[in-house]
Amino acid sequence: MGGKDTETAVVMEKSQRETVEKNHEYDDDTKINYRGWKVMPFIIGNETFEKLGAIGTLANLLVYLTTVFNLKNITATNIVNIFSGSTNLATLFGAFFSDTYFGRYKTIGFCTFASFVGLLVIQLTAAFKNLHPPHCAKESTTCKGPTPGQMAFLIFGFGSLLIGAAGIRPCNLAFGADQFNPNTESGKKGVNSFFNWYFFTFTFAQMVSLTLIVYVQSNVSWAIGLAIPAALMLISCLVFFMGANLYVKVKPQGSPITSIVQVIVVAIKKRTLQFSSHKFDYLPPKSLNSKLPYTPQFRCLDKAAILTPEDNINPDGSPTDEWNLCSVQQVEEVKCLVRVIPIWVSAILYYLVIVQQHTIMVFQALQSDRRLGKNTNFKIPAATYYVFLMLSLTLWLPIYDRVIVPLLRRLTGKEGGVTLLQRMGIGIFLAILSMLVSAVVEQSRRSMALSSPIGVQPRKGAISSMSALWLIPQLTLAGLADAFTSVGQVEFYYKQFPENMRSIAGALFYCGIAGSSYLSTFLISIIHSVTRTSQVGNWLPEDLNKGRLDYFYYMIAALEVLNLGYFLVIAKWFKYKGSSGSDINGDGGGSIQLNQVFKPSETSSSSNGV
């Protein structure tokens, strides 16, 4: 999901900056040689080439699997969804191993090389005839599929890419911020500028990948089109390691996951104890986290902090055995995570809309008129249409920040115009509209394909005379939905999690996308199986003209309506971090202002309501 990293880059800026400042707060800065912008060519260069390489391959993967590997639409869609879900889920493990054992430098270095290996393997499957099925002529109705050995080699490439994404996604932003001294004015400005450049380079990489590289793959040669990303990833590796002796390499400080597990284990151990006023409350003197007030929610976890005669305390106030006694602070930190989970579940359902626009929409485009004008033979590659979703998101963000927010601020009196939960709810509503428009457009595409086709897509069916540009409205709505829900969601995670859990917050965002990819795979498989024997026929056949993809879109829209109802209930129940009830809308939290992303020279000192 290319657009998700962009959204993360937008909303992570302030939270990452605060975390970096606290990570270095107790370091002796005189012993650390912060080189700042002197090493940015290596880090930003690595990031740019890495994204050009990864997105250049993944953006057109669905078309590659169906045209070169001769896989069925459903099979290819499920493979892409499972792969996308696994890469996003793996970020949780990547963040854990980076924080606990290896540090960001080693993690990024190893995972960048793993990504290169993965892209090289996939390129080899296109370059050598014995690594993919025989070419299938356009007039053929049936084609020979891949052998087990060919699929195994391809899956090995996917596995290497998965390892690469697991380490790069949760670490690259924080590693770049590590290079600036957070205790100097120039260092703080450097961090701001770095995130701005990250956002710019990532957007640039997406645009190039979804246009030029995808065009070469679809219209010139798959071998050349896949060799370009592999070569770019190799350059990314070389550029990154060229700065090896210049980087600030923050040592791993341990993962907050350990503390979470400790609370759960101790609460289970002490589950038979009666609730007591004798609770152990301790906050380490150099803790990254701010002190949290006690909340009565999820009282079963409170038992982890009950102080018994068997529990011993060290002279500095810490417990002698952290697996037998936890502090109230630790318990409250876990409660923050537990409170966010229901919101996260709603996000999984929301991302179903974005997943469809990233996968099945490609098949719609393949069976639509992709020519730019009736008198030209130039066709926009099917995978390139996803760029319209990104464009609507990218163009809307500054408009929202500079025009809409000030207007809403005057109407509501809230610094951010609306709360973060309200913003996410608006996005879910727009996602419903996107699915309804998708269904209507598909009805029109299918009708025109049956009544006035302009050609035949090999092994798919008739090409509709409807212009594929009619797919832009549904993609635009999906992009606007992402600008509200995804951006609001990541900011919500970062503000509601304790400071030392912000790497988990980023990983949780990706895990939500992973859950949606798996759920989409499940729904597609079920619908494909159940409707095959129905009166209206298979909703999702190889030839969309013989199916009812519009019914599938209506079904997703219905799920989103239920999801919106669920979200409204959960949002009303939710209590913000540090809130005892008076701050129900979270107006005390600091915001991540988008003008910090789009204009490096300007920063906001105001606090934004959530």
Side-chain angles (χ1 to χ4, degrees), residues 178-198:
D178 286 341
Q179 311 310 311
F180 297 93
N181 188 342
N183 297 319
T184 65
E185 197 62 32
S186 61
K188 293 177 182 179
K189 291 180 180 179
V191 172
N192 288 338
S193 297
F194 166 70
F195 282 105
N196 297 333
W197 278 103
Y198 175 91

Side-chain angles (χ1 to χ4, degrees), residues 13 56 85-86 118 148 196 209 223 225 234 326 345 368-369 373 425 496 520 532:
E13 177 179 357
S86 299
N196 297 333
S209 297
L234 177 60
C326 297
V345 171
S368 300
D369 185 359
Q496 293 308 308
S520 180
R532 194 162 16 184

Side-chain angles (χ1 to χ4, degrees), residues 346 350 353 421-437 477-478 480-482 484-485 556-557 560-565 567-568:
S346 177
Y350 157 76
V353 173
L421 289 176
Q422 288 171 341
R423 182 174 180 176
M424 293 161 65
I426 293 172
I428 296 175
F429 175 75
L430 290 173
I432 297 172
L433 295 183
S434 176
M435 279 293 94
L436 292 176
V437 171
L477 284 169
L480 293 176
D482 243 14
F484 280 96
T485 297
I556 298 294
E560 292 302 327
V561 170
L562 296 176
N563 184 37
L564 180 59
F567 178 82
L568 294 176

Side-chain angles (χ1 to χ4, degrees), residues 354-427:
I354 307 302
V355 170
Q356 308 319 314
Q357 304 296 1
H358 192 65
T359 53
I360 292 181
M361 181 278 300
V362 175
F363 296 127
Q364 281 184 285
L366 285 173
Q367 289 189 250
S368 300
D369 185 359
R370 293 181 284 120
R371 295 175 298 174
L372 280 181
K374 301 296 183 181
N375 299 320
T376 178
N377 290 324
F378 177 80
K379 295 181 179 179
I380 300 176
T384 298
Y385 283 88
Y386 188 74
V387 78
F388 291 107
L389 185 151
M390 293 167 42
L391 282 173
S392 66
L393 183 150
T394 305
L395 294 175
W396 171 253
L397 287 177
I399 296 174
Y400 178 79
D401 185 63
R402 299 301 180 89
V403 179
I404 305 300
V405 169
L407 176 62
L408 292 175
R409 186 182 296 131
R410 289 194 292 269
L411 295 175
T412 65
K414 296 184 181 296
E415 193 65 31
V418 294
T419 69
L420 283 178
L421 289 176
Q422 288 171 341
R423 182 174 180 176
M424 293 161 65
I426 293 172

Side-chain angles (χ1 to χ4, degrees), residues 219-234:
N219 297 280
V220 179
S221 166
W222 279 104
I224 297 174
L226 291 174
I228 294 173
L232 291 171
M233 186 62 74
L234 177 60

